[in-house]
Amino acid sequence: MPVKIRLQRHGKKGKPYYWIVAADARAKRDGKYLEKLGAYNPNTNPATIDLNVDGAVTWLENGAQPTDTAKAILSYKGVLLKKHLKGGVTKGALTEEQAEAKFTAWLEEKEGKVGAKTDGLAKAEAEAKAKAFEAEKAANEARIAAATPVVEEAPAEEASNEEEE
């Protein structure tokens, strides 16, 4: 039975949400699956990915073939690196501790990059809000300034009329 690691679509129209599953290649896209490995939400920025790394590595070692998109997600989360390191341990090129240390170092570096992107997005959003607030403030001041002379002229005319009498 050929097994694929692929995405199974959920969510509503225009708001996709995917499960990452190991399924028989002959099964329907949203049909029966063998195991749910995680979830992928592309609606957030950056995209949210929850993945059972060890389960995915097990399926890959047993011959499951990921689809192109699933392969990109697995690579992003380090599943393919972990599988590669496990192969090195099996061949004797690395010890289990060395492989785990390399994987942990890679994960920390990756988390740093994602954290930097998240911070950059938050900073850009805060700057955009500040600019919008300043623009709105300037527009309100201009509107008040435009309305104020009309109100001041009327009392000034009344005062001059009172003086004439």
Side-chain angles (χ1 to χ4, degrees):
M1 174 173 73
V3 176
K4 291 239 181 227
I5 296 177
R6 63 185 183 196
L7 300 180
Q8 192 177 66
R9 187 181 166 124
H10 292 273
K12 61 183 185 178
K13 185 171 34 168
K15 296 281 187 181
Y17 183 84
Y18 299 96
W19 287 356
I20 302 166
V21 298
D24 185 349
R26 297 167 291 187
K28 296 177 183 176
R29 179 193 72 177
D30 298 336
K32 189 175 176 184
Y33 59 90
L34 301 171
E35 182 180 353
K36 179 181 174 186
L37 300 173
Y40 167 60
N41 185 2
N43 298 319
T44 60
N45 192 7
T48 307
I49 303 171
D50 298 321
L51 186 65
N52 176 3
V53 175
D54 295 326
V57 169
T58 303
W59 278 106
L60 288 173
E61 287 176 342
N62 289 334
Q65 295 296 315
T67 60
D68 293 338
T69 307
K71 188 173 185 175
I73 291 171
L74 296 177
S75 177
Y76 180 80
K77 293 304 275 185
V79 173
L80 299 180
L81 174 66
K82 190 160 188 172
K83 179 183 180 264
H84 176 72
L85 292 172
K86 266 190 159 179
V89 169
T90 304
K91 292 179 182 177
L94 297 168
T95 64
E96 187 70 38
E97 293 79 25
Q98 290 173 328
E100 194 61 37
K102 283 186 176 188
F103 184 69
T104 305
W106 182 86
L107 272 180
E108 289 173 359
E109 181 182 338
K110 186 73 168 182
E111 287 174 3
K113 288 179 183 178
V114 171
K117 181 178 180 183
T118 305
D119 293 343
L121 289 171
K123 185 183 248 183
E125 185 177 334
E127 289 174 1
K129 282 185 178 180
K131 277 186 177 181
F133 179 72
E134 290 299 323
E136 187 175 339
K137 191 174 180 181
N140 285 342
E141 289 174 357
R143 192 176 327 122
I144 290 171
T148 305
V150 173
V151 174
E152 289 180 4
E153 291 177 11
E157 291 176 8
E158 289 176 11
S160 62
N161 289 339
E162 291 174 4
E163 290 172 5
E164 292 174 4
E165 292 176 2

